[in-house]
Amino acid sequence: MIAVDGDPSPQQVARRLREGMTRGVLSFPLTAFHDDGSLDPDGFRAHVAGRLAAGPGAVFPACGTGEFFSLDEEEYRTVVSITVEEAAGRVPVVAGTGYGWAQAARFARIAEEAGADALLALPHYLVEAPQAGLAAQLAQLAARTRLPLIAYQRGQVAYGAETLKRIADIPNVIGLKDGHSDLDRLQRLTLAAPDGFLFFNGAATAEIQARAYAAVGVPAYSSAVHAFAPEIAGAFFTALGDGDRGTMDELLREFYVPLVELRDRTPGYAVSLVKAAARLRGQRVGPVRAPLTDPAPADLADLKALLTTGLDLVGAAL
């Protein structure tokens, strides 16, 4: 880890994240594009400001929901810089980074320069790798940034308990985001982790499994719904914290489960449906970039009806 005088320590960043996670969901903003596919900085700034006004625990720009895979380095710099400016220290800003460790380190340097508080290390590109290689990938990145790192296991990345111990020993690795929803494996990881190591529920439409994750000691979660309907996301978060099973069941039955069924109709809808829903709420986020595609007209009509239902449940309007 590169020491820089005055920078918060990984432990201080972890503490801020831990405190934030008790107050709100983790917000993953959408990256705004113009209709021609070019970056829309003003649209993105307005979108981020709206997410911050809704009281998230932390904000994670340029990650999966933010179409990190489609951004070049200068676009990435703009996205992270705007998020840091809008957050103004109120909540931690955790920027995505990824590909192989060499390219991830280039993005990490940009995030440092832009003022991000930490990094989410997205799964590496394409190849399968053994456990030793997964640990080495993270170690190589950690050695090239002063920012704290959160590992993200999803797709071809899945850490074993012994590997978790190895990466937790890296001084600036502070946590793990899980997108596999294998609760047996996750329980083993939480038991293997040192005290203070952070865990996040990063399942697609995480509210569906929020109670199950909380039962194995992982109550914090990222919410794609927060990107377009923070009223719904906030109502579910409050109900989860209060143990209000009736409210959770109603929201799950009437909104979240149908949303997942709609999401599963077409690959990539985990992002493009979210963006379409944000546009339905009047947000200037624009289309998705290829290889994602915007929803078909019939799916968009179903999304609008479902969004109206969900908002009605929490006393909000489209």
Side-chain angles (χ1 to χ4, degrees):
M1 182 176 180
I2 303 168
V4 178
D5 291 342
D7 286 334
S9 69
Q11 294 75 23
Q12 289 172 318
V13 174
R15 184 170 61 250
R16 287 188 67 207
L17 282 166
R18 189 177 298 107
E19 292 169 352
M21 285 153 31
T22 67
R23 298 193 298 267
V25 299
L26 306 176
S27 180
F28 285 65
L30 300 157
T31 299
F33 300 119
H34 294 291
D35 288 343
D36 65 1
S38 61
L39 186 68
D40 180 359
D42 292 338
F44 179 70
R45 186 179 295 277
H47 173 68
V48 170
R51 298 323 91 202
L52 289 164
V59 62
F60 288 64
C63 294
T65 306
E67 298 179 75
F68 168 78
F69 63 87
S70 77
L71 301 176
D72 67 28
E73 292 181 8
E74 285 310 307
E75 291 171 331
Y76 175 86
R77 183 187 302 276
T78 299
V79 165
V80 177
S81 296
I82 288 173
T83 307
V84 170
E85 291 166 7
E86 291 298 318
R90 290 176 289 168
V91 297
V93 174
V94 184
T97 189
Y99 307 116
W101 60 260
Q103 186 64 36
R106 290 173 63 92
F107 282 101
R109 284 194 292 274
I110 295 169
E112 289 180 18
E113 293 164 1
D117 297 291
L119 297 165
L120 178 65
L122 301 169
H124 64 265
Y125 174 70
L126 189 61
V127 296
E128 300 285 341
Q131 291 292 302
L134 296 180
Q137 158 85 351
L138 202 60
Q140 290 281 4
L141 175 57
R144 288 163 173 79
T145 181
R146 60 184 174 80
L147 294 179
L149 289 171
I150 298 166
Y152 189 7
Q153 62 170 16
R154 188 170 185 156
Q156 71 270 33
V157 176
Y159 297 103
E162 290 304 313
T163 307
L164 188 283
K165 292 177 184 177
R166 290 179 62 184
I167 66 172
D169 281 341
I170 300 171
N172 49 336
V173 174
I174 62 173
L176 175 73
K177 182 183 180 186
D178 174 70
H180 284 296
S181 303
D182 181 341
L183 297 181
D184 179 291
R185 175 187 288 268
L186 185 59
Q187 183 71 91
R188 295 168 190 265
L189 295 180
T190 62
L191 293 172
D195 290 344
F197 197 77
L198 302 176
F199 285 91
F200 312 96
N201 167 4
T205 317
E207 287 90 345
I208 290 285
Q209 300 182 67
R211 287 184 290 197
Y213 270 81
V216 296
V218 185
Y221 61 93
S222 57
S223 175
V225 172
H226 192 270
F228 63 86
E231 305 96 327
I232 299 173
F236 188 92
F237 180 84
T238 299
L240 179 64
D242 292 344
D244 182 353
R245 191 174 189 89
T247 296
M248 285 187 284
D249 284 350
E250 182 178 43
L251 288 169
L252 289 168
R253 185 183 302 111
E254 303 298 327
F255 176 75
Y256 282 102
V257 170
L259 180 64
V260 168
E261 292 171 349
L262 180 56
R263 182 199 73 200
D264 289 346
R265 289 182 189 176
T266 301
Y269 268 17
V271 176
S272 56
L273 273 181
V274 173
K275 222 167 193 184
R279 292 195 300 272
L280 287 171
R281 301 292 311 274
Q283 296 184 47
R284 197 175 105 188
V285 295
V288 292
R289 278 181 171 174
L292 300 179
T293 58
D294 289 313
D299 295 338
L300 189 60
D302 289 345
L303 175 63
K304 184 174 182 179
L306 178 57
L307 181 54
T308 299
T309 296
L311 291 168
D312 284 346
L313 289 174
V314 298
L318 185 64

